[in-house]
Amino acid sequence: MAFVGAPSRVKSILQNKTVLLGVVIFIVASGLIFFVVVRSKTEVRPSPEGATRFNLDMSEKINGDTPYEQIDGSISNAEQAKSVGNLYIGVQKYTDAEKAFQKAVQLNSDNAELYSLLALTQERQGKKPEAKLNYQKAADLYKKAGDSVAQERALFRIKDMDVEYKNVLDIE
């Protein structure tokens, strides 16, 4: 190995493969430690108190075919209602999911995502007029929040429903 321009002492250290290997291992080990520390600091976030327990309890009830009306009294905020709605979507119980998202919207009427989820459940049930109305509310709230991508996505769903409806009429 030739190390042009390096002082002779540095040359002798770098030519000693054992030392060089030790330096490389140290650098790699330091990088891994840094990676683990940074990763743990950015990913570990405490959940709101009781949120995990609530989600587990609701998941068990929903998978056990518990209707929304029996769960409604357990919901105390919009985030819980959203979680319940998402769980019902996961098991394709759109009527119950719609009820959960309606409750979420009642508890937090400024959340565009909740209107989008409500519209999605209505769309899946064939309730196009209601879905369009809620997608429009979501689009308005996304615009107010400055989220043009989400706004366009909501507006696209409205246009897409019109196209689907037109195609159904053309087939008949």
Side-chain angles (χ1 to χ4, degrees):
M1 253 195 272
F3 297 98
V4 179
S8 61
R9 183 175 169 120
V10 172
K11 284 181 190 177
S12 67
I13 291 173
L14 291 176
Q15 287 174 345
N16 183 339
K17 291 180 183 168
T18 306
V19 171
L20 186 58
L21 181 60
V23 169
V24 169
I25 290 172
F26 174 77
I27 290 171
V28 170
S30 298
L32 289 175
I33 291 170
F34 175 77
F35 176 76
V36 170
V37 169
V38 169
R39 214 175 137 93
S40 67
K41 285 186 180 178
T42 57
E43 289 185 4
V44 176
R45 293 182 204 118
S47 62
E49 190 172 315
T52 303
R53 178 79 276 177
F54 176 83
N55 289 339
L56 290 173
D57 290 344
M58 290 301 116
S59 179
E60 289 171 8
K61 287 179 181 178
I62 289 167
N63 286 326
D65 290 330
T66 303
Y68 176 77
E69 290 75 19
Q70 291 180 12
I71 293 175
D72 185 42
S74 304
I75 298 171
S76 61
N77 61 54
E79 198 59 37
Q80 289 178 345
K82 177 184 163 191
S83 293
V84 168
N86 283 329
L87 289 168
Y88 275 121
I89 285 176
V91 293
Q92 299 180 353
K93 294 181 180 176
Y94 300 114
T95 304
D96 288 327
E98 179 184 9
K99 292 173 188 174
F101 291 126
Q102 285 172 338
K103 173 125 184 185
V105 164
Q106 286 175 345
L107 294 169
N108 184 357
S109 61
D110 294 330
N111 188 320
E113 182 186 14
L114 297 177
Y115 281 102
S116 287
L117 290 166
L118 175 58
L120 172 71
T121 60
Q122 292 167 332
E123 183 181 358
R124 297 252 172 105
Q125 296 175 78
K127 298 178 178 180
K128 304 294 183 189
E130 295 94 333
K132 288 168 91 172
L133 179 68
N134 284 308
Y135 277 129
Q136 186 60 56
K137 287 179 185 176
D140 294 343
L141 288 169
Y142 283 129
K143 181 179 181 180
K144 185 177 174 183
D147 189 344
S148 60
V149 173
Q151 177 192 10
E152 285 300 316
R153 192 172 48 242
L155 293 172
F156 175 80
R157 291 303 314 140
I158 294 170
K159 292 175 191 169
D160 193 44
M161 279 190 282
D162 288 337
V163 170
E164 287 175 16
Y165 182 70
K166 184 178 181 300
N167 290 340
V168 168
L169 291 178
D170 290 344
I171 291 171
E172 295 174 359

